[in-house]
Amino acid sequence: MTESITIAKPDDFHLHLRQDIMLLNVIQHCRNWGRVLVMPNLSPNPVLNGPDAMLYKAEILEALNAHGFYCEPLMTIQLTENTTPEMIFEAKRLGVIAAKAYPKAQTTNSDNGISDYHSMDLHYALNAMQECGMVLCLHGETPKPGVFCLDREKEFLEIVEDYAELYPNLKIVLEHITTEAAVDLVNALPENVAATITLHHLLLTLDDVVGNTIQPHYFCKPIAKREGDRQALLVAAMQGWNNKFFFGSDSAPHEKKNKECASGCAGIYTAPVALPLLAEVFETYAVPPMKDLLEAFVSKNGRDFYELPPNEGTITLVKEPWTVPYNTYDYVVPFYVGKEISWRIQ
Amino acid sequence: MTESITIAKPDDFHLHLRQDIMLLNVIQHCRNWGRVLVMPNLSPNPVLNGPDAMLYKAEILEALNAHGFYCEPLMTIQLTENTTPEMIFEAKRLGVIAAKAYPKAQTTNSDNGISDYHSMDLHYALNAMQECGMVLCLHGETPKPGVFCLDREKEFLEIVEDYAELYPNLKIVLEHITTEAAVDLVNALPENVAATITLHHLLLTLDDVVGNTIQPHYFCKPIAKREGDRQALLVAAMQGWNNKFFFGSDSAPHEKKNKECASGCAGIYTAPVALPLLAEVFETYAVPPMKDLLEAFVSKNGRDFYELPPNEGTITLVKEPWTVPYNTYDYVVPFYVGKEISWRIQ
């Protein structure tokens, strides 16, 4: 009999959906998620306020409708040094649940990002978020120019510590963590600080990016680090019911021509394989039975941190190998293309 | 009046020329060198013995002839665990001046490389080299699988130390060094140990490869390291007349389609820009006047270490900016394409 597990319908707390044709293409992979937290760094027009977010939400709902299924888009705005308390309050009223802060010019579409995390304007906005209960999502790399790529997350951690102390009632998510140091800090800080972990950072180190050949489809920000860091992330992700660590895919589609070129974009497109490959990772590394640990990571911890109700329904994964196809994803190359994954969605 | 410098005709002590059409294409950039040390890792048939080397030399001379100029190819063979003392002596008789040792499967065309640097067979071959005065060129990365990419050179250094002690009369060149640790070791070891330094390792760190976008044309083995390492290489290269450190470009042409793809080859094609860009680097970083320091690095230190006579003639560089063209190098993308270089060959 085929092995299978059934878990509460999961959520993805960090997802890039883009717009237009790309949105229509990639949204098909939201089918298995109850909710997805949608990132605001659109180009050329990022989502900067509540009305922007509502417009984007409508576009997403239309795309879902075109595919004939529903998944709840949780909307975010981008926090910049121009975000006012009024913008925060208005966005909150319109249903925006989080604001995402990017360090200036450190990742995709972040030229309007933050250079001074301690500016007064930002302080007012963060106070407003704390007051109205909006979550702060941090891309955790220092905005200082010239810091070595492997040190940028570590150098950012002092900002997380400062914020945790300055805003004790602000919920803070350190996104897509990649280092043992980040795991340790999130564990050490109070309950209001949590972290998302991606699928690809559970699988990759820098050696997969440039250790043998150079692999643009394994290149993302923050870049994958050492094996010791990966091990720390595996331990953090497999703790069970602990709302400090939960899944955010950071799935980020880029056209193949913008990856396989002289100067390739950062971002890994994991959405097409996320749940099956997570099941494989948990089967490989988690203390068995893996079902409860996987369910905590993808279906419970994030929802608890965000104070959201359980999703209705379940999803079943069966142990049946399949090969990630090259040709059905059009012009975006998915993670693990051509490789076999031992679990699939039923 | 335009600034200019005239130096003794230089040598490149580490060059990949390939074969066939690629050889015919890339050899044009040997015009400014008196001698080039030609690497033996051809695919599918590496240069493993003296007769192989003579055959390859004839092919190179024919290509030079087709372009109508002369540059002396200094021939090498690849040292493997199957190289016998007889093969060493025969190669030496035929004029081969060095043997290159690659760690197994760590770089381009190295599947036949060495996994055990202390095997008895290798010991006999190294003794033969010591006896007949053949230089040993080492690709300095550990053959141990699973070592983190940034640690592979450092882990190899103990082999260099062992060899320096075991074979005190063997001339050893640690090729294309990338770390402060390697500079320190070469400085600390006796006169029989030297190192080559490439142009690209004087300019790049890992941040140029994956710090912003992912850049396959800046990807090589050993991969560029931290800024502190780059600074140590600059100091080593700019010491003046000291035959411990000299120029070896490691210029390694790969077709564009094998670089800008899902799994890109290691190797940077610096030959088209090497001398002008070296002049720019020395002007930027060397204690002025840079002429003597540049001349020591490219025209004297290597020749002294290899005990070769001075080249006849000189070469003059003038300070006149030019932009590295995209379209004249066919299907191989040169280093610094599209960028301006402030010096040119007269």
Side-chain angles (χ1 to χ4, degrees), chain A residues 207-227:
Chain A
D207 284 344
D208 295 291
V209 191
V210 291
N212 181 22
T213 57
I214 188 164
Q215 304 255 357
H217 297 299
Y218 291 163
F219 173 62
C220 59
K221 300 276 188 79
I223 198 162
K225 307 295 191 306
R226 287 177 179 261
E227 177 61 13

Side-chain angles (χ1 to χ4, degrees), chain A residues 281-316:
Chain A
V281 171
F282 272 68
E283 190 186 31
T284 307
Y285 294 102
V287 180
M290 62 133 158
K291 185 237 168 207
D292 291 348
L293 301 182
L294 179 62
E295 188 172 45
F297 184 59
V298 298
S299 311
K300 290 183 171 177
N301 294 345
R303 137 200 130 191
D304 283 0
F305 185 83
Y306 275 92
E307 299 177 58
L308 297 168
N311 288 313
E312 281 183 23
T314 58
I315 195 153
T316 298

Side-chain angles (χ1 to χ4, degrees), chain A residues 65-80:
Chain A
N65 200 42
H67 283 277
F69 71 91
Y70 183 70
C71 156
E72 188 183 348
L74 302 172
M75 302 310 294
T76 65
I77 58 170
Q78 189 178 345
L79 183 70
T80 75

Side-chain angles (χ1 to χ4, degrees), chain A residues 197-262:
Chain A
I197 299 176
T198 72
L199 166 63
H200 49 275
H201 289 119
L202 293 175
L203 283 165
L204 305 177
T205 70
L206 184 63
D207 284 344
D208 295 291
V209 191
V210 291
N212 181 22
T213 57
I214 188 164
Q215 304 255 357
H217 297 299
Y218 291 163
F219 173 62
C220 59
K221 300 276 188 79
I223 198 162
K225 307 295 191 306
R226 287 177 179 261
E227 177 61 13
D229 295 306
R230 189 178 80 91
Q231 294 290 339
L233 296 174
L234 285 166
V235 170
M238 293 172 187
Q239 290 184 55
W241 206 335
N242 166 356
N243 64 17
K244 284 257 169 204
F245 299 100
F246 49 88
F247 182 61
S249 71
D250 194 16
S251 177
H254 288 283
E255 286 186 50
K256 183 177 169 179
K257 71 173 174 3
N258 295 328
K259 292 291 277 180
E260 300 182 12
C261 60

Side-chain angles (χ1 to χ4, degrees), chain A residues 52-198:
Chain A
D52 285 354
M54 291 309 101
L55 209 64
Y56 187 29
K57 185 175 185 176
E59 198 181 332
I60 294 166
L61 292 173
E62 210 169 321
L64 284 165
N65 200 42
H67 283 277
F69 71 91
Y70 183 70
C71 156
E72 188 183 348
L74 302 172
M75 302 310 294
T76 65
I77 58 170
Q78 189 178 345
L79 183 70
T80 75
E81 286 169 83
N82 297 319
T83 308
T84 62
E86 293 69 33
M87 288 159 74
I88 297 291
F89 294 133
E90 180 193 40
K92 177 72 185 178
R93 266 199 317 276
L94 290 171
V96 168
I97 73 162
K100 173 81 182 281
Y102 291 97
K104 189 172 177 63
Q106 290 296 325
T107 189
T108 307
N109 307 338
S110 64
D111 287 347
N112 61 343
I114 293 166
S115 50
D116 179 5
Y117 279 80
H118 290 90
S119 75
M120 275 318 286
D121 286 340
L122 208 54
H123 173 71
Y124 295 134
L126 291 166
N127 258 332
M129 289 173 65
Q130 180 171 247
E131 197 182 319
C132 71
M134 188 181 287
V135 173
L136 173 65
C137 298
L138 293 169
H139 177 115
E141 292 192 290
T142 179
K144 269 188 255 166
V147 175
F148 189 59
C149 54
L150 302 188
D151 299 335
R152 291 174 196 164
E153 181 172 286
K154 211 171 153 199
E155 288 232 359
F156 185 80
L157 295 181
E158 61 186 46
I159 294 170
V160 182
E161 268 192 280
D162 289 351
Y163 277 17
E165 199 181 315
L166 287 167
Y167 311 104
N169 298 315
L170 176 65
K171 286 195 176 234
I172 300 170
V173 184
L174 188 55
E175 300 289 336
H176 43 55
I177 56 172
T178 63
T179 57
E180 188 176 8
V183 171
D184 290 347
L185 181 70
V186 171
N187 270 320
L189 289 175
E191 273 193 350
N192 62 315
V193 180
T196 54
I197 299 176
T198 72

Side-chain angles (χ1 to χ4, degrees), chain B residues 231-291:
Chain B
Q231 293 290 337
L233 297 174
L234 285 166
V235 170
M238 292 172 187
Q239 289 184 54
W241 206 334
N242 167 354
N243 64 16
K244 283 258 171 203
F245 298 100
F246 49 87
F247 182 61
S249 70
D250 193 16
S251 178
H254 288 282
E255 287 185 51
K256 183 176 168 179
K257 71 173 174 3
N258 295 329
K259 292 290 278 179
E260 300 181 12
C261 60
S263 181
C265 294
I268 301 180
Y269 183 46
T270 53
V273 299
L275 263 184
L277 196 46
L278 274 173
E280 183 173 300
V281 170
F282 272 69
E283 190 186 31
T284 307
Y285 294 102
V287 180
M290 62 130 159
K291 185 236 167 208

